[in-house]
Amino acid sequence: MTQDVEMKELPAPSNSASSSPPSTLQHLKEIASLIETGAYAREVRRIVRVVRLTLALRQKLNAPVLSAFLNFTLTQGSELHSRLSSYLPKEDEHDMDVDTATSATQTPVKHSLPELEVFCYLLVLIFLIDQKRYNEAKACASASIARLKNVNRRTVDVLASRLYFYYSLSYELTGDLAEIRGNLLALHRIATLRHDELGQETLLNLLLRNYLHYNLYDQAEKLRSKAPRFEAHSNQQFCRYLFYLGKIRTIQLEYTDAKESLLQAARKAPVSALGFRVQCNKWAVIVRLLLGEIPERTVFMQKGMEKALRPYFELTNAVRIGDLELFRNVADKFSSTFNSDRTHNLIVRLRHNVIRTGLRNISISYSRISLADVAKKLRLDSANPVADAESIVSKAIRDGAIDATIDHENGWMVSKETGDIYSTNEPQFAFNSRIAFCLNMHNEAVRALRFPPNSHKEKESAEKRRERQQQEQELAKHIAEEDDDDF
């Protein structure tokens, strides 16, 4: 009996070993097999899944794991293996005790698929960027781009789009973004000729980012207007395109289109992309202020954005009140923040809106007020404030911002009585804009629906198959009846 107890205790270690979670290297081997299956079957969806799984393992990548994976995937001594291994530091493989036991018994299968080579480039490049070894990352990215130019396969397009992104990021982190503009244009031309739509999306956004980084808004608009258009394949790339389009439209004074693009980008962005949504909301707030709108308080109270949007909340408060002195204080207080966000030039434009808002409040509060008091309330700091106030009031009357007249003899601004707004066309315009917004959202939701391919054809073929089987059964029964009659 004692021997039976000892026999039951023997397999316990093997059960605990089998229940232990797989290591990072084992996950990478599974991803490599998934790439191989997708490459042979020519299924792009498997490669898309590979990208998602790789991003989930990003925090766990280290030099020993990558070195072991390169040994497993690539032929040792080959040019690619030696090049990628040179970027990895030589470290002890003490954290790979689980895989060393299994890899010692397994003979690694060597692959020569372009998808696996590109995937190895991607892993090493991500590791170098995370380790802040930007110069080596630039060399690795340049080598990977040279390899991609010789590969034209649909299953490589997804991995290539990620390599394009990290290629641009590595040069941006070192401040050498202008050096790769010509290469990005050449890659975009190659992707267009190869009908690589995902690569075109990614490269177009990278080129727009490259131009906007150096404030080349005219060149960015020329490229955007002449680039081929097609249905978006990646939600992330589409959000980035909308954000860059909103920035271009804002600089070009097309505030209505800019507002629509920025709000759509913020709405479509994933919840996890907090930094991107913060940038979209910053630019959207400025654009709405330039349009004469006051954003709601809930915009500044979104979860995780309160601190980042605090300067813009105080700026909105100054514009809402129409206090020019408070506006100057806020602009000076947060000047460093506005400069880093590249919105300082737009905030300079807001001075006119602040003056117009203050003037509108004055015209509502007073039926008649002197121009000297108007200049005092607006806090105009010019040599001749009364003359400036008269020109500001006359321009506001001409633009329709206020409903008033100027008594030049007495130096007064006389406000007219406000009528019923519901007797005008303003409610109709507001209602039409809301209906258009809802219809656009409905159309986008319908376009985003996914249906099985050729579902209507399959339904028709199934009905025809049932009809054919029924006719065959009736024919067989008729033939059998005829045979019985013959007997």
Side-chain angles (χ1 to χ4, degrees):
M1 296 296 293
T2 57
Q3 293 179 354
D4 293 337
V5 174
E6 292 175 357
M7 291 294 291
K8 291 179 181 179
E9 291 177 353
L10 284 176
S14 62
N15 292 334
S16 62
S18 61
S19 62
S20 61
S23 63
T24 306
L25 180 58
Q26 188 63 32
H27 281 301
L28 291 177
K29 291 179 180 179
E30 294 174 358
I31 291 174
S33 64
L34 185 62
I35 292 175
E36 188 175 9
T37 304
Y40 286 128
R42 297 181 180 180
E43 294 181 353
V44 180
R45 61 182 180 87
R46 295 183 183 271
I47 311 300
V48 175
R49 186 184 175 194
V50 163
V51 174
R52 290 200 302 267
L53 295 174
T54 304
L55 295 179
L57 294 176
R58 180 171 182 173
Q59 301 296 331
K60 301 179 181 179
L61 295 178
N62 53 40
V65 170
L66 290 178
S67 179
F69 180 71
L70 294 179
N71 294 334
F72 170 79
T73 307
L74 305 175
T75 304
Q76 296 188 17
S78 62
E79 181 182 359
L80 178 59
H81 182 274
S82 58
R83 180 187 298 119
L84 293 178
S85 299
S86 63
Y87 299 125
L88 302 177
K90 304 299 180 182
E91 297 181 4
D92 297 332
E93 300 183 2
H94 60 278
D95 56 344
M96 296 169 54
D97 50 349
V98 176
D99 287 317
T100 50
T102 58
S103 61
T105 58
Q106 297 177 356
T107 57
V109 181
K110 304 303 177 184
H111 310 277
S112 60
L113 290 174
E115 290 82 0
L116 282 172
E117 296 180 8
V118 174
F119 180 67
C120 291
Y121 272 116
L122 181 62
L123 287 178
V124 175
L125 183 56
I126 292 175
F127 171 75
L128 293 175
I129 292 177
D130 290 342
Q131 296 295 319
K132 298 182 179 180
R133 298 163 56 185
Y134 301 134
N135 292 327
E136 296 180 1
K138 287 167 57 177
C140 180
S142 300
S144 65
I145 295 300
R147 179 68 179 94
L148 281 176
K149 290 181 179 179
N150 300 323
V151 180
N152 183 14
R153 301 175 64 159
R154 293 281 78 88
T155 49
V156 179
D157 293 345
V158 180
L159 298 173
S161 64
R162 302 305 303 173
L163 271 180
Y164 296 148
F165 172 76
Y166 289 113
Y167 172 59
S168 177
L169 179 62
S170 61
Y171 277 84
E172 183 178 356
L173 292 173
T174 56
D176 302 327
L177 201 56
E179 296 181 5
I180 62 170
R181 191 178 302 156
N183 291 335
L184 292 178
L185 288 170
L187 289 171
H188 186 269
R189 182 170 61 252
I190 293 173
T192 305
L193 295 175
R194 293 176 177 176
H195 302 285
D196 178 10
E197 296 185 352
L198 182 58
Q200 292 179 59
E201 280 184 346
T202 306
L203 290 167
L204 178 60
N205 287 333
L206 293 177
L207 284 167
L208 292 178
R209 183 181 182 87
N210 198 312
Y211 285 125
L212 297 183
H213 182 77
Y214 295 99
N215 297 324
L216 302 175
Y217 288 92
D218 292 338
Q219 296 185 25
E221 173 59 20
K222 289 179 181 178
L223 172 67
R224 188 208 63 80
S225 60
K226 295 181 179 179
R229 299 178 183 178
F230 43 80
E231 186 178 356
H233 291 266
S234 172
N235 181 61
Q236 290 84 354
Q237 298 299 331
F238 185 53
C239 291
R240 288 172 181 159
Y241 174 78
L242 290 174
F243 176 61
Y244 298 144
L245 178 61
K247 294 177 71 173
I248 294 172
R249 291 286 182 259
T250 303
I251 299 299
Q252 294 178 340
L253 307 180
E254 300 177 8
Y255 297 135
T256 304
D257 296 339
K259 172 192 169 184
E260 183 179 354
S261 298
L262 291 169
L263 292 180
Q264 190 177 3
R267 187 173 62 249
K268 286 180 172 291
V271 180
S272 58
L274 182 61
F276 178 80
R277 290 167 53 228
V278 166
Q279 289 296 322
C280 290
N281 280 280
K282 287 179 179 179
W283 279 76
V285 166
I286 297 295
V287 170
R288 294 183 66 180
L289 291 176
L290 289 170
L291 283 170
E293 303 176 4
I294 303 298
E296 300 81 3
R297 185 180 289 266
T298 55
V299 174
F300 306 96
M301 300 303 171
Q302 300 181 57
K303 185 178 180 181
M305 300 186 187
E306 297 91 347
K307 185 177 180 181
L309 295 179
R310 184 67 186 179
Y312 296 88
F313 174 74
E314 296 189 12
L315 187 70
T316 302
N317 189 38
V319 175
R320 180 181 61 84
I321 298 173
D323 191 343
L324 194 58
E325 186 67 25
L326 179 60
F327 174 76
R328 291 196 201 97
N329 294 335
V330 172
D332 294 338
K333 180 180 178 181
F334 299 103
S335 60
S336 60
T337 303
F338 296 145
N339 287 325
S340 62
D341 294 338
R342 297 193 173 190
T343 56
H344 182 72
N345 293 334
L346 301 177
I347 292 170
V348 173
R349 300 181 188 178
L350 282 176
R351 183 179 181 274
H352 179 68
N353 294 62
V354 175
I355 295 175
R356 177 174 291 187
T357 303
L359 187 60
R360 189 184 299 116
N361 294 335
I362 293 173
S363 66
I364 294 173
S365 302
Y366 298 91
S367 60
R368 187 179 65 182
I369 186 173
S370 64
L371 295 176
D373 292 338
V374 170
K376 188 181 298 183
K377 289 183 176 295
L378 293 178
R379 300 183 182 182
L380 300 178
D381 53 351
S382 59
N384 192 355
V386 178
D388 290 345
E390 184 177 359
S391 63
I392 290 171
V393 171
S394 61
K395 188 176 186 303
I397 293 173
R398 186 191 64 184
D399 295 341
I402 60 175
D403 192 6
T405 57
I406 298 178
D407 187 352
H408 296 282
E409 295 180 359
N410 299 320
W412 292 339
M413 182 186 75
V414 182
S415 301
K416 297 180 181 179
E417 294 183 0
T418 57
D420 185 13
I421 192 173
Y422 289 99
S423 62
T424 63
N425 293 329
E426 288 296 327
Q428 180 183 356
F429 294 151
F431 194 54
N432 286 338
S433 64
R434 295 177 183 178
I435 291 176
F437 174 77
C438 294
L439 290 177
N440 289 335
M441 182 176 291
H442 175 266
N443 294 334
E444 292 176 2
V446 171
R447 283 196 295 266
L449 294 175
R450 293 185 178 181
F451 300 95
N454 300 327
S455 58
H456 59 288
K457 295 182 180 179
E458 292 178 0
K459 185 177 181 181
E460 293 177 359
S461 61
E463 292 177 357
K464 290 182 180 179
R465 190 183 304 109
R466 284 195 297 269
E467 291 178 359
R468 189 184 72 254
Q469 291 176 355
Q470 186 176 1
Q471 291 176 359
E472 290 177 354
Q473 290 177 0
E474 292 178 355
L475 181 61
K477 187 183 297 184
H478 181 68
I479 293 174
E481 290 176 357
E482 289 180 353
D483 294 339
D484 292 340
D485 293 339
D486 292 340
F487 282 103

